[in-house]
Amino acid sequence: TPPHPTIQIKISVVPPLASAAMVLVEEADDDDEDRAEKDACERRVAAEDRRKLHAERKVEIDRWLKAKIRRLFPPEDATGPPELDAWEDIPPRKVTDEERGVLAMFISVVHCQPNELNLTNHHEIMEVARTSRWLEEDPCTLELLCQILRSLRAADQGALLAAPELRMEEMLLCAINTLAAPPRAGCSEGFGKLYELFALIGDPKSDKAWELRTKYIQKEYAAEAIFESLMPSARRKPGTADLDDGEPPLLGCFEWCLIGVMAALLICLFLFVLFSRRRLAAMPALTSAELDIARQAGPSGEL
């Protein structure tokens, strides 16, 4: 008998909708993981590039700081007379070679372009501040930077600074602004004030915080610190800040002394004029005969 013909039937199983959705979710998760891994890789590369940049700039800034600090602190003559004129109440810090290198790195990591925030480097800034607590704890560090910046303008005598000097001046302004801002923004003094400042202006929660952020971006705190370094009598008292409601004193000690000197000069001038008039009034009047003789004598005084 002939074999019976066989019929082959192919059955395709269509996956349910739930299985298809799971496949799509797994594919989306894979895409998110790939994207996150790519972003993390890009961040690592950017961080490595920043580290190389700061390491290169540190060498340049350290060499520049060494020359400026040597001018600020000239070598003392042991055979000469002792120095009688002392520094201000907050003298500039005399840094060691190691501390100067730390300061150079700090100046590099806090640098940012005008009208920008340096919070993008907050990890590097906090790392330098954490390993060198004297940056935040010693106010003489801020005074040192102010003295160096003032020496730049005193040396140029009104002439324009060269491009390298202008670049260093801009970096110094950023460093001064970063160290001067925390106490003026109401943050606690000492170690940890930079972290408190970045938390305040990094995510402002009030109009006052936004105002502090704007002042920080415009480097107004640096201007205040430089002025107080130039005029120590105008230095704000510890504990006073922009967040305080109390008004600062209108005049400082220097201004009151100047007003006193001007008042004394005015009093002396008034007394001089008063006694001069009284002396003229006390002189006897000339008679008509004496006046005639004076006219006949003429300018030469001869009759």
Side-chain angles (χ1 to χ4, degrees):
T1 61
H4 297 285
T6 59
I7 301 175
Q8 296 181 355
I9 301 176
K10 294 183 179 180
I11 301 175
S12 60
V13 180
V14 179
L17 295 178
S19 301
M22 291 178 62
V23 172
L24 294 177
V25 170
E26 291 177 356
E27 293 178 354
D29 291 341
D30 294 339
D31 293 340
D32 293 339
E33 291 178 358
D34 295 340
R35 191 179 300 108
E37 184 178 355
K38 181 180 179 181
D39 293 342
C41 181
E42 292 178 353
R43 286 194 298 268
R44 286 193 298 268
V45 172
E48 184 64 26
D49 292 341
R50 288 197 303 269
R51 279 193 291 270
K52 292 180 180 179
L53 173 63
H54 295 320
E56 294 175 357
R57 289 201 305 196
K58 175 190 173 182
V59 177
E60 178 185 359
I61 297 172
D62 182 54
R63 188 185 305 112
W64 182 83
L65 281 177
K66 184 177 181 179
K68 299 304 177 182
I69 293 176
R70 186 184 295 113
R71 293 181 183 178
L72 193 62
F73 297 103
E76 299 179 358
D77 186 5
T79 61
E83 182 68 31
L84 298 179
D85 296 331
W87 288 100
E88 297 83 354
D89 53 342
I90 302 181
R93 182 184 179 95
K94 293 185 177 181
V95 294
T96 62
D97 293 343
E98 181 181 357
E99 290 175 344
R100 191 184 64 241
V102 173
L103 193 59
M105 177 60 75
F106 181 78
I107 293 174
S108 178
V109 296
V110 299
H111 176 250
C112 63
Q113 298 300 323
N115 298 323
E116 290 185 3
L117 271 176
N118 56 5
L119 296 185
T120 53
N121 298 335
H122 70 278
H123 289 294
E124 292 85 352
I125 297 174
M126 297 307 304
E127 179 64 21
V128 176
R130 184 186 63 83
T131 55
S132 303
R133 299 176 61 132
W134 54 270
L135 287 171
E136 298 182 272
E137 294 177 342
D138 188 5
C140 300
T141 305
L142 175 61
E143 181 63 23
L144 173 62
L145 297 179
C146 292
Q147 293 273 358
I148 295 175
L149 185 65
R150 287 168 48 193
S151 67
L152 289 179
R153 288 303 175 180
D156 66 355
Q157 298 180 353
L160 294 177
L161 293 175
E165 296 290 311
L166 285 175
R167 181 167 171 266
M168 290 298 177
E169 182 185 47
E170 181 182 342
M171 290 185 176
L172 276 179
L173 277 175
C174 293
I176 294 173
N177 189 62
T178 304
L179 291 178
R184 291 167 173 78
C187 302
S188 57
E189 291 280 1
F191 180 70
K193 62 183 181 182
L194 290 180
Y195 177 82
E196 189 175 349
L197 171 70
F198 292 161
L200 178 64
I201 65 175
D203 186 17
K205 301 294 185 182
S206 62
D207 294 339
K208 191 64 178 180
W210 278 106
E211 180 182 350
L212 298 176
R213 178 188 173 102
T214 302
K215 292 185 64 176
Y216 184 79
I217 294 175
Q218 296 177 353
K219 298 181 177 59
E220 295 184 16
Y221 297 117
E224 294 178 6
I226 296 170
F227 176 76
E228 292 176 4
S229 174
L230 185 63
M231 302 285 294
S233 60
R235 197 183 303 275
R236 68 174 62 214
K237 298 179 180 179
T240 59
D242 294 340
L243 292 176
D244 297 339
D245 295 332
E247 296 183 357
L250 297 178
L251 298 177
C253 179
F254 176 79
E255 288 80 3
W256 281 115
C257 292
L258 185 61
I259 292 175
V261 172
M262 294 178 63
L265 291 176
L266 290 176
I267 292 174
C268 293
L269 180 61
F270 173 76
L271 293 176
F272 175 77
V273 174
L274 180 63
F275 284 111
S276 298
R277 289 184 177 180
R278 288 185 177 181
R279 185 178 179 182
L280 291 175
M283 294 178 62
L286 297 176
T287 62
S288 59
E290 292 174 340
L291 290 175
D292 293 339
I293 295 174
R295 292 194 190 97
Q296 293 176 3
S300 60
E302 297 180 356
L303 293 175

